[in-house]
Coordinates of all heavy atoms in Angstrom, one line a residue:
M615 N 120.7 118.5 102.8 CA 120.0 118.3 104.0 C 118.8 119.0 104.1 O 118.8 120.3 103.7 CB 120.9 118.6 105.2 CG 121.9 117.4 105.7 SD 121.0 116.3 106.6 CE 120.6 117.0 108.0
S616 N 117.7 118.6 104.7 CA 116.6 119.4 105.1 C 116.4 119.4 106.5 O 117.2 118.9 107.2 CB 115.3 118.8 104.4 OG 115.0 117.5 105.0
G617 N 115.3 120.0 107.0 CA 115.2 119.9 108.5 C 114.6 118.7 109.0 O 114.3 118.5 110.1
F618 N 114.5 117.7 108.2 CA 113.9 116.3 108.4 C 114.9 115.3 108.4 O 115.5 115.1 107.3 CB 112.7 116.1 107.5 CG 111.6 117.1 107.5 CD1 111.7 118.1 106.6 CD2 110.7 117.1 108.5 CE1 110.7 119.2 106.6 CE2 109.7 118.1 108.5 CZ 109.8 119.1 107.5
S619 N 115.2 114.6 109.6 CA 116.2 113.6 109.5 C 115.6 112.3 109.2 O 114.4 112.1 109.3 CB 116.9 113.5 110.9 OG 115.9 113.0 111.8
W622 N 114.0 110.8 112.2 CA 112.7 111.3 112.5 C 111.6 110.6 111.5 O 110.7 110.2 112.0 CB 112.6 112.7 112.4 CG 111.3 113.3 112.3 CD1 110.7 114.1 111.3 CD2 110.2 113.3 113.3 NE1 109.3 114.3 111.5 CE2 109.0 113.9 112.8 CE3 110.2 112.6 114.6 CZ2 107.8 114.0 113.5 CZ3 108.9 112.8 115.3 CH2 107.9 113.5 114.8
L623 N 112.0 110.5 110.2 CA 111.0 109.9 109.3 C 110.8 108.4 109.7 O 109.7 107.8 109.5 CB 111.5 110.1 107.9 CG 111.7 111.6 107.3 CD1 111.9 111.6 105.8 CD2 110.4 112.3 107.6
A624 N 111.9 107.8 110.0 CA 111.7 106.2 110.4 C 110.8 106.2 111.7 O 110.1 105.3 111.8 CB 113.1 105.7 110.7
R626 N 108.5 108.1 112.7 CA 107.1 108.5 112.5 C 106.4 107.5 111.5 O 105.2 107.3 111.4 CB 106.9 109.9 112.0 CG 107.5 110.2 110.7 CD 107.2 111.7 110.3 NE 105.8 111.7 109.8 CZ 105.0 112.7 109.7 NH1 105.6 113.9 110.0 NH2 103.7 112.7 109.3
A627 N 107.1 106.6 110.7 CA 106.6 105.8 109.6 C 105.6 104.9 110.1 O 104.5 104.6 109.5 CB 107.8 105.1 108.9
D630 N 102.4 106.8 110.9 CA 101.8 107.2 109.6 C 101.1 106.1 109.0 O 100.0 106.2 108.5 CB 102.9 107.8 108.8 CG 103.5 109.1 109.1 OD1 102.9 109.8 110.0 OD2 104.5 109.6 108.4
R634 N 97.2 106.4 107.9 CA 96.8 106.6 106.5 C 95.4 106.0 106.1 O 95.2 104.9 106.6 CB 97.8 106.1 105.5 CG 99.2 106.8 105.7 CD 100.1 106.1 104.6 NE 101.5 106.3 105.0 CZ 102.3 107.3 104.5 NH1 101.7 108.3 103.7 NH2 103.5 107.4 104.8
D654 N 105.7 111.6 93.8 CA 105.5 111.8 95.2 C 106.3 113.0 95.6 O 107.5 113.1 95.5 CB 106.0 110.5 96.1 CG 105.8 110.6 97.6 OD1 105.4 111.8 98.0 OD2 106.2 109.8 98.2
L655 N 105.6 114.1 96.0 CA 106.3 115.4 96.3 C 106.7 115.5 97.8 O 105.9 115.2 98.6 CB 105.2 116.5 95.9 CG 104.7 116.5 94.4 CD1 103.6 117.6 94.3 CD2 105.7 116.6 93.5
G656 N 108.0 115.7 98.0 CA 108.5 115.8 99.3 C 108.5 114.2 99.8 O 108.1 114.0 100.9
A657 N 109.0 113.4 99.0 CA 109.0 112.0 99.3 C 109.9 111.4 100.4 O 109.6 110.4 100.8 CB 109.4 111.2 98.0
G658 N 110.9 112.1 100.8 CA 111.7 111.8 101.8 C 112.4 110.4 101.5 O 113.0 110.3 100.5
T659 N 112.2 109.5 102.5 CA 112.8 108.2 102.2 C 111.9 107.2 101.5 O 112.1 106.0 101.5 CB 113.3 107.6 103.6 OG1 112.2 107.5 104.4 CG2 114.4 108.5 104.3
G660 N 110.8 107.7 101.0 CA 109.8 106.7 100.3 C 108.9 106.1 101.0 O 108.3 105.0 100.5
S661 N 108.4 106.5 102.3 CA 107.5 105.7 103.0 C 106.2 105.5 102.4 O 105.6 104.5 102.5 CB 107.2 106.5 104.4 OG 108.3 106.6 105.2
L662 N 105.7 106.4 101.6 CA 104.4 106.4 101.0 C 104.4 105.3 99.9 O 103.4 104.5 99.8 CB 104.0 107.8 100.4 CG 102.6 107.7 99.7 CD1 101.6 107.1 100.5 CD2 102.2 109.2 99.3
R664 N 106.3 102.7 99.8 CA 106.3 101.4 100.4 C 104.9 101.1 100.8 O 104.5 99.8 100.7 CB 107.2 101.4 101.7 CG 108.7 101.4 101.4 CD 109.5 101.2 102.6 NE 110.9 101.7 102.4 CZ 111.3 102.9 102.6 NH1 110.5 103.8 103.1 NH2 112.5 103.2 102.3
V679 N 110.3 113.0 94.5 CA 110.9 114.4 94.4 C 111.1 114.9 95.8 O 110.1 114.9 96.7 CB 109.8 115.4 93.7 CG1 110.6 116.7 93.4 CG2 109.3 114.7 92.5
D680 N 112.3 115.4 96.0 CA 112.6 115.9 97.3 C 113.8 116.9 97.2 O 114.7 116.6 96.3 CB 112.8 114.9 98.4 CG 112.7 115.2 99.8 OD1 113.5 116.1 100.4 OD2 111.6 114.9 100.4
G681 N 113.9 117.8 98.0 CA 115.1 118.7 98.0 C 116.3 118.0 98.7 O 117.5 118.6 98.6
D682 N 116.1 117.0 99.5 CA 117.2 116.4 100.3 C 117.7 115.0 99.7 O 117.1 114.0 99.7 CB 116.6 116.1 101.7 CG 117.6 115.7 102.7 OD1 118.6 115.0 102.3 OD2 117.6 116.2 103.8
A683 N 118.9 115.1 99.2 CA 119.6 114.0 98.5 C 119.7 112.8 99.4 O 119.6 111.7 99.0 CB 120.9 114.4 97.8
L685 N 118.1 111.9 102.0 CA 116.8 111.2 102.3 C 116.4 110.4 101.1 O 116.1 109.2 101.2 CB 115.7 112.1 102.6 CG 115.8 113.0 103.9 CD1 114.6 113.8 104.1 CD2 116.0 112.1 105.1
L686 N 116.5 111.0 99.9 CA 116.2 110.2 98.6 C 117.1 109.0 98.5 O 116.5 107.9 98.0 CB 116.4 111.2 97.5 CG 115.2 112.1 97.2 CD1 115.6 112.9 95.9 CD2 113.8 111.4 97.0
L695 N 114.2 112.7 91.8 CA 114.6 114.1 91.4 C 114.9 114.9 92.6 O 114.0 115.1 93.5 CB 113.3 114.9 90.7 CG 113.0 114.3 89.2 CD1 111.7 115.1 88.8 CD2 114.2 114.4 88.4
R696 N 116.2 115.3 92.7 CA 116.5 116.2 93.9 C 116.3 117.5 93.3 O 117.0 118.1 92.5 CB 118.0 115.8 94.1 CG 118.2 116.6 95.5 CD 119.8 116.9 95.7 NE 119.7 118.0 96.7 CZ 120.0 119.3 96.3 NH1 120.2 119.6 95.0 NH2 120.0 120.3 97.2
R697 N 115.2 118.2 93.9 CA 114.8 119.5 93.4 C 114.0 120.1 94.4 O 113.2 119.5 95.1 CB 113.9 119.1 92.1 CG 113.4 120.3 91.4 CD 112.4 119.9 90.3 NE 112.9 119.2 89.2 CZ 112.3 118.9 88.1 NH1 110.9 119.1 88.0 NH2 112.9 118.4 87.1
P698 N 114.2 121.4 94.5 CA 113.3 122.3 95.4 C 111.9 122.3 94.7 O 111.7 122.5 93.6 CB 113.9 123.6 95.4 CG 114.9 123.7 94.3 CD 115.2 122.3 93.8
L699 N 110.9 122.1 95.7 CA 109.5 122.1 95.2 C 108.9 123.5 94.8 O 107.9 123.6 94.3 CB 108.6 121.4 96.1 CG 108.9 119.9 96.3 CD1 108.3 119.3 97.6 CD2 108.5 119.2 95.0
G700 N 109.7 124.4 95.2 CA 109.4 125.9 94.9 C 109.5 126.1 93.5 O 109.0 127.2 92.9
G701 N 110.4 125.4 92.8 CA 110.6 125.5 91.4 C 109.6 124.8 90.4 O 108.5 124.5 90.9
V710 N 101.2 112.6 94.6 CA 100.8 112.2 95.9 C 101.8 113.0 96.8 O 102.8 113.5 96.4 CB 100.9 110.6 96.3 CG1 99.9 109.9 95.5 CG2 102.4 110.2 95.8
S711 N 101.4 113.0 98.1 CA 102.4 113.6 99.2 C 102.0 113.1 100.6 O 100.9 112.7 100.7 CB 102.4 115.0 99.2 OG 101.2 115.6 99.8
T712 N 102.9 113.2 101.4 CA 102.7 112.8 102.9 C 103.3 113.9 103.6 O 104.5 114.3 103.4 CB 103.3 111.6 103.3 OG1 102.9 110.5 102.4 CG2 102.9 111.3 104.7
A713 N 102.5 114.5 104.5 CA 103.1 115.5 105.5 C 103.8 116.6 104.8 O 104.9 117.0 105.2 CB 104.0 114.8 106.5
L714 N 103.2 117.1 103.7 CA 103.9 118.1 102.9 C 103.1 119.4 102.8 O 103.7 120.6 103.1 CB 104.2 117.6 101.5 CG 104.9 118.8 100.6 CD1 106.4 118.9 100.9 CD2 104.7 118.6 99.1
I715 N 101.9 119.3 102.5 CA 101.2 120.5 102.2 C 100.9 121.6 103.4 O 101.0 122.6 103.1 CB 99.7 120.3 101.4 CG1 98.9 119.5 102.3 CG2 100.0 119.6 100.1 CD1 97.3 119.4 101.8
D716 N 101.1 121.0 104.5 CA 101.1 122.0 105.7 C 102.3 122.8 105.8 O 102.3 123.8 106.6 CB 100.8 121.2 106.9 CG 101.7 120.0 107.2 OD1 102.8 120.1 107.5 OD2 101.1 118.8 107.1
L717 N 103.4 122.4 105.1 CA 104.6 123.1 105.0 C 104.6 124.3 104.0 O 105.4 125.1 103.9 CB 105.9 122.2 104.7 CG 106.1 121.2 105.6 CD1 107.2 120.2 105.0 CD2 106.4 121.6 107.0
A718 N 103.6 124.2 103.1 CA 103.5 125.2 101.9 C 102.4 126.2 102.1 O 101.4 126.1 102.9 CB 103.1 124.2 100.7
W722 N 101.2 128.1 97.0 CA 101.8 127.0 96.5 C 100.8 125.9 96.2 O 100.9 125.2 95.2 CB 102.9 126.5 97.3 CG 103.9 125.4 96.7 CD1 104.9 125.6 95.9 CD2 103.5 124.0 96.8 NE1 105.3 124.4 95.5 CE2 104.5 123.4 96.1 CE3 102.6 123.3 97.4 CZ2 104.6 122.0 95.9 CZ3 102.6 121.9 97.4 CH2 103.7 121.3 96.6
Q738 N 98.3 113.0 101.8 CA 98.1 112.3 103.0 C 98.7 113.1 104.2 O 99.7 113.8 104.0 CB 98.8 110.9 102.9 CG 98.0 110.0 102.0 CD 98.3 108.6 102.2 OE1 99.4 108.3 102.4 NE2 97.4 107.7 101.9
L739 N 98.1 112.9 105.4 CA 98.7 113.3 106.7 C 99.1 114.7 106.8 O 100.2 115.1 107.1 CB 99.9 112.4 107.0 CG 99.4 111.0 107.4 CD1 100.5 110.0 107.0 CD2 99.2 111.0 108.9
K769 N 108.4 127.9 105.4 CA 109.2 126.6 105.5 C 109.8 126.3 104.2 O 109.9 125.2 104.0 CB 108.3 125.5 106.0 CG 107.5 125.8 107.3 CD 108.2 125.3 108.5 CE 107.9 125.9 109.9 NZ 106.6 125.5 110.3
G770 N 110.0 127.2 103.3 CA 110.5 127.1 102.0 C 109.5 127.1 100.9 O 110.0 127.2 99.6
L771 N 108.3 127.1 101.1 CA 107.3 127.2 100.1 C 106.3 128.4 100.4 O 105.2 128.2 100.3 CB 106.6 125.8 99.9 CG 107.5 124.7 99.4 CD1 106.7 123.4 99.5 CD2 107.9 124.9 98.0
G772 N 106.8 129.4 100.8 CA 105.9 130.6 101.3 C 105.4 130.4 102.8 O 105.7 129.4 103.4
Ligands
SAM787 C1 107.6 115.9 106.8 S1 108.7 115.4 105.7 C2 107.8 114.0 104.9 C3 108.6 113.0 104.2 C4 107.9 111.8 103.6 N1 106.9 112.2 102.6 C5 107.4 111.0 104.6 O1 106.2 110.9 104.9 O2 108.3 110.2 105.3 C6 108.7 116.5 104.3 C7 109.5 116.3 103.2 O3 109.4 117.3 102.2 C8 110.7 117.6 101.8 N2 110.5 119.2 101.5 C9 110.0 120.1 102.3 N3 110.1 121.3 101.7 C10 110.7 121.1 100.5 C11 111.0 121.9 99.4 N4 110.8 123.3 99.4 N5 111.7 121.4 98.3 C12 111.8 120.1 98.2 N6 111.6 119.2 99.3 C13 111.0 119.7 100.4 C14 111.7 117.4 102.9 O4 112.9 117.3 102.5 C15 111.1 116.2 103.6 O5 111.6 115.0 103.0

Side-chain angles (χ1 to χ4, degrees):
M615 275 285 291
S616 66
F618 300 93
S619 68
W622 165 245
L623 297 187
R626 62 173 289 162
D630 287 349
R634 297 178 198 270
D654 184 357
L655 306 174
T659 55
S661 296
L662 176 54
R664 287 189 200 88
V679 191
D680 204 286
D682 188 322
L685 295 181
L686 281 178
L695 289 181
R696 191 199 155 261
R697 183 187 284 185
L699 292 167
V710 294
S711 77
T712 305
L714 177 79
I715 58 172
D716 47 70
L717 302 173
W722 187 88
Q738 291 194 326
L739 287 150
K769 307 269 162 68
L771 297 170

